[in-house]
Every structure is written in C-alpha cells, then in structure tokens.
C-alpha cells in the first residue's frame, strides 16, 4: 500500500453511533500501563538524597542535578534505542509476547536498582529497564486495535488517568518507604536495611510489576488483527470496528518505516508528541529538584517525604481532573482545540518557579504564599496533561492501517523517549549550572523552557481538525 503526504487519517464515515468500549481487555491493558509510573516514578522523591549519600558530587549539592538528571534520563535514552524494534516486532509476532518481556525487564531492573550502592550500578539498572521495555507504545497499539473511531478518544482519555493514579502511588511509597530503618526501627533493624535504605521502595515496585506479568500472561487476549481468528475479532469489535481494519480489501501488511517517515500527516503528530514529552518530562524531573534544593541556592528545601506527599496529592487530583474534564472537553471542543489550549498552560507554569524563589528569598521560609503558588502550578500542570489523551488520538488516527499501529506508536515513542531522555538531564543540569554560574541570575533554565514552549505552541497550530463523524 503506497502512502504520501495526502494519505488520510484512519476513518470510517459509516460510524455514526458510538461503539461500547471493550471493558475487559481495555481494563487489562490499562492495568499494565499502571506498572509504568509505578516503576519509573517511585525514585523521584529520594533520588536527590541518594545521589548526595553516594558521594559522587564531592559534597557540592549544586552538582546533584547533573547526576540525578542522568539517572532519570537513562530509562528513556535506552528505551529510545530499542522501542521501535519492540513495536515493529509486535506488528509481526503479536502484542502480548512483547508486553511480557517488558514487564519481566522492569521487575528485574527495579530489584537491581534497590541493591545498588555505586553510581555505575544505578546506571546499569536503569539501562536494563529501558532497553527491555517497549510496553507503552505496544499498549497504545492494543488500544488502537480494540477501538474504532467512535470510542478511541474515550479510551485514550483514560491513559492520563491511569498515569495519574500510578504517579500518585509511586512517589508516596517511594518516599514513604525510603530508609525504613529510621521510620520503623523495630521492623527494619538489620544491617541490610542500613546498607540498602531504598530497597524496600524498589521491592514494592518490582513486586507489582511481577504481579502484572502473571495477570497479563493469564488473561490478556492477543489484539493484533493478523494473529486473531476472524470470528473472535468480529464478536469483540463488531461490524463497525472490522470495517475500519480492512476497508476495500486494503493491504494488511505493516507499512515500511521509510514510507511513514516521508508522510507529513504521520510525522506531524509525532513531532508534537515528542516536543510535548521533552517539555513536560523536563518539568517532571525539574520540579522535585527545585523542591529539594536548599533555600540558599534558590529552591524550597523540602524533605523527600514532603515531596512525595505533594506529588501524590497532585496525581490524585490530576486523576479526578482528567476523569471530570478531558473526555468532555474533547467531545465538546474537538481534539485540536483542546490540545492547542492545553499546551498554553506551560507559560504560567514557568513563571511560578522564579516567583517562588523570590518569595522564599524575601520571607526566608516556605509560607502560605508558596503553598498557594504550588497549588496553582499543579492545577495548571493538570491542564497540560489533557494534551496527552488528544495526541494519542492524533497518532493513532494518522496510521495508514491498523497493521502499522505498532510501528506508528514505536516511532512516536522513540521520538518522545529521545525527548524525555534529554529533558531530565538537560533541565536539571541546566538548573544546577544556572545556579552554579549565576547565569541570568540563575534563571537561564526558565528562558530555555519558555523558548521550547513557544515552539510547541507553534507546532500545535499545524495539527488538522478531526471531523465529528471520524471520532
């Protein structure tokens, strides 16, 4: 099947009524998705403290951002090197086998992380996690497989909610279970817990991922159309959904990667997704660092436990926000308008950081004004997260056929993994460098974030409108 810049988005003009969501298989897919933030975000509350304890900074707290950014970025850097291969493989061997490999890799790497007391060991464990894990792109392909254009937006709107719930639990147990020998000496009094103070957090994450492995192995059905029996596919997706898969007897083989790379309608949503991931994930790594940085250097000087509670509260609130508003906003305003509006929230978010630094410098403490600004900052961040559900729809609808969804999501995940690998290391290191060298009064990082946000807003305006009967 040949494609060019005029290749239309996946469409089904006959789909006037909404197809019910396949609740069981969608629920299992989202359950696996839940393991992603549980495995990647639990380290954020204590990573800065861990780097300080390892002594790699030589006692200079201003350099913590460099090393913390490297650790946070490695998962996405190694994932960027392999995710396209895993996604492409899922177009041929099926989605389920690739998911199981990824879950096994996450479980093992989390255990290794908890047992690491050298910086190189932390690096190795995060590399293992990223290299073996192509789950996010494969799970989005599954959702694309089991939905059609009438219910796709509703299904993808659930992804930020799942991430929010996982992101609420991960920092809570990550920070709350760190150094259990200090919190509960009667239960964790052995020398093991003193030597490996963050193993309990890592073990909880690894256990949940291992549990997910067995649940998926037992209950998840293969969704790749070419690997399923025609009768089963017809029963689960209905005649409307099956018409989307093979309209007019089209070629059911995956489209070559080179062809996809040359298709403008394919690369435009991928570029938006990559830039969104760069800015948003940079914020996600930068926020805990800013909260943990001592007041005299320009941060808030909060403890790991306090940071964990803040991130937990945000994630719970974000989940409720996404449930209440995302799907309704998409239905009422359309995908393009929601995305373009959501990314505008980055601008006031950027302004909150120097504002908090100035207030703390004047008041010499984290008072009521700071907590109000933190609340506003996190509310705006919830608005930004609405953009993810929309961009997932754009990427999926840009696929020339259902049999190329793995490759499409692999390309998008590769792009955003590169961006996410750059984000934490770039912004945390830039923050440290800005403060260390007093560049623009220590505010260089905010200027860079502002420029990137302007580029994202400009790029978002190029996305096409998705007509109502295609949704």
């Amino acid at each position: 099947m040949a494609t060019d810049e005029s290749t239309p988005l996946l469409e089904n003009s006959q789909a006037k009524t909404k197809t019910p969501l396949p609740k069981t298989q969608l629920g299992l897919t989202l359950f696996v998705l839940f393991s992603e933030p549980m495995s990647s975000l639990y380290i954020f509350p204590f990573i800065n403290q861990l780097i300080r304890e390892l002594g790699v900074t030589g006692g200079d707290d201003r350099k913590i951002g460099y090393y913390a950014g490297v650790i946070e970025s490695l998962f996405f850097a190694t994932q960027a090197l392999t995710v396209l291969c895993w996604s492409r493989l899922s177009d041929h061997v099926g989605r389920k086998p690739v998911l199981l490999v990824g879950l096994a890799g996450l479980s093992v790497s989390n255990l290794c992380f908890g047992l690491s007391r050298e910086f190189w060991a932390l690096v190795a464990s995060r590399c293992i996690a990223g290299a073996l894990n192509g789950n996010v792109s494969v799970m989005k392909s599954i959702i694309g497989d089991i939905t059609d254009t009438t219910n796709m937006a509703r299904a993808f709107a659930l992804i930020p909610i799942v991430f929010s719930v996982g992101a609420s639990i991960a920092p809570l147990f990550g920070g709350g279970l760190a150094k259990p020998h200090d919190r509960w000496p009667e239960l964790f009094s052995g020398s093991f817990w003193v030597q490996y103070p963050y193993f309990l957090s890592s073990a909880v994450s690894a256990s949940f991922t291992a549990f997910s492995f067995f649940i998926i192995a037992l209950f998840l059905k293969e969704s790749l159309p070419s690997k399923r029996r025609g009768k089963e596919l017809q029963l689960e997706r209905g005649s409307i959904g099956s018409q989307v898969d093979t309209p007019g007897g089209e070629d059911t083989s995956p489209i070559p990667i080179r062809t996809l790379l040359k298709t403008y309608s394919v690369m435009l949503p991928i570029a938006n997704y990559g830039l969104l991931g760069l800015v948003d994930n940079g914020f996600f790594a930068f926020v805990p660092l800013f909260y943990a940085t001592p007041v005299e250097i320009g941060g808030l000087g909060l403890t790991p436990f306090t940071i964990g509670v803040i991130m937990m509260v945000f994630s719970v609130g974000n989940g409720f926000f996404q449930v209440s508003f995302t799907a309704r906003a998409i239905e009422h305003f359309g995908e393009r308008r929601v995305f373009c509006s959501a990314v505008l929230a980055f601008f006031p978010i950027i302004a909150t950081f120097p504002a908090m630094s100035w207030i703390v410098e004047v008041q010499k403490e984290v008072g009521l004004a700071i907590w109000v600004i933190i609340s506003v900052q996190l509310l705006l961040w919830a608005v930004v997260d609405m953009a993810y559900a929309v961009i997932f729809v754009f990427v999926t609808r840009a696929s020339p056929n259902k049999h190329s969804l793995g490759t499409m999501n692999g390309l998008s995940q590769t792009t955003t993994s590169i961006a996410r690998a750059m984000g934490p290391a770039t912004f945390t290191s830039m923050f440290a460098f800005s403060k260390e060298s007093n560049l623009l009064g220590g505010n260089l990082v905010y200027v860079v974030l502002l420029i990137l946000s302007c580029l994202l807003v400009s790029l978002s305006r190029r996305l096409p409108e998705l007509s109502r009967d295609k949704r």
Side-chain angles (χ1 to χ4, degrees), residues 186-410:
E186 65 280 1
L187 296 177
F188 303 94
S189 57
S191 60
F192 175 85
W193 301 106
V194 177
Q195 185 176 1
Y196 303 103
Y198 305 104
F199 177 77
L200 185 60
S201 299
S202 300
V204 170
S205 177
S207 298
F208 180 83
T209 307
F211 177 69
S212 301
F213 177 94
F214 290 107
I215 292 296
I216 295 308
L218 292 174
F219 300 111
L220 184 68
K221 297 179 181 179
E222 179 57 59
S223 67
L224 182 66
S226 63
K227 295 294 181 181
R228 303 174 66 188
R229 292 174 298 179
K231 183 177 180 180
E232 178 186 0
L233 184 62
Q234 182 75 11
L235 286 174
E236 289 192 11
R237 300 201 49 223
S239 59
I240 293 178
S242 62
Q243 290 172 6
V244 178
D245 281 332
T246 57
E250 69 174 62
D251 185 6
T252 60
S253 60
I255 303 299
I257 296 177
R258 184 172 299 179
T259 303
L260 294 175
L261 291 173
K262 294 178 180 179
T263 306
Y264 178 79
S265 63
V266 166
M267 296 309 299
L268 180 60
I270 291 177
N272 273 275
Y273 185 29
L275 193 52
L276 174 65
L278 173 64
V279 180
D280 184 60
N281 208 63
F283 272 118
F284 204 92
F286 174 66
V287 165
L289 174 62
F290 179 83
Y291 290 170
T293 298
V295 172
E296 57 270 17
I297 303 179
L300 301 182
L302 302 179
T303 65
F305 180 75
T306 302
I307 296 172
V309 172
I310 291 174
M311 303 304 288
M312 182 272 293
V313 171
F314 162 70
S315 298
V316 171
N318 189 28
F320 282 112
F321 184 89
Q322 303 303 325
V323 168
S324 302
F325 297 108
T326 301
R328 294 178 183 177
I330 293 174
E331 182 68 23
H332 187 72
F333 298 107
E335 289 85 352
R336 183 179 183 274
R337 187 177 298 179
V338 171
F339 185 84
C340 292
S341 300
V343 296
L344 288 174
F346 275 125
F347 295 111
I349 291 176
I350 295 171
T352 61
F353 292 107
M356 285 190 285
S357 295
W358 179 79
I359 292 174
V360 169
E361 183 180 355
V362 172
Q363 296 184 347
K364 307 299 182 183
E365 64 176 359
V366 178
L368 178 61
I370 294 298
W371 291 110
V372 170
I373 295 177
I374 289 176
S375 301
V376 173
Q377 181 187 70
L378 298 181
L379 176 61
L380 291 169
W381 205 350
V383 174
V384 168
D385 279 351
M386 296 175 68
Y388 281 103
V390 179
I391 203 63
F392 296 154
V393 174
F394 273 108
V395 170
T396 302
R397 295 276 296 272
S399 178
N401 62 37
K402 290 282 185 178
H403 305 270
S404 300
L405 274 178
T407 305
M408 276 291 301
N409 284 304

Side-chain angles (χ1 to χ4, degrees), residues 90-237:
S90 76
D91 278 338
H92 295 277
V93 305
R95 318 296 190 201
K96 187 173 179 177
V98 178
L99 279 184
L100 293 175
V101 172
L103 289 171
L106 280 177
S107 185
V108 172
S109 66
N110 283 328
L111 288 176
C112 293
F113 191 89
L115 294 173
S116 301
R117 292 304 297 167
E118 299 288 342
F119 185 74
W120 68 265
L122 298 177
V123 169
S125 64
R126 295 299 281 178
C127 288
I128 292 172
L132 295 180
N133 183 40
N135 285 359
V136 173
S137 65
V138 177
M139 284 182 280
K140 285 184 285 187
S141 298
I142 292 176
I143 294 176
D145 290 335
I146 64 178
T147 60
D148 57 39
T149 54
T150 68
N151 59 10
M152 187 181 297
R154 286 184 290 151
F156 280 120
L158 297 174
I159 292 182
I161 299 170
V162 173
F163 265 102
S164 295
V165 175
S168 68
I169 297 176
L172 183 62
F173 78 76
L177 299 180
K179 296 187 175 182
H181 60 283
D182 290 339
R183 296 180 180 274
W184 308 284
E186 65 280 1
L187 296 177
F188 303 94
S189 57
S191 60
F192 175 85
W193 301 106
V194 177
Q195 185 176 1
Y196 303 103
Y198 305 104
F199 177 77
L200 185 60
S201 299
S202 300
V204 170
S205 177
S207 298
F208 180 83
T209 307
F211 177 69
S212 301
F213 177 94
F214 290 107
I215 292 296
I216 295 308
L218 292 174
F219 300 111
L220 184 68
K221 297 179 181 179
E222 179 57 59
S223 67
L224 182 66
S226 63
K227 295 294 181 181
R228 303 174 66 188
R229 292 174 298 179
K231 183 177 180 180
E232 178 186 0
L233 184 62
Q234 182 75 11
L235 286 174
E236 289 192 11
R237 300 201 49 223

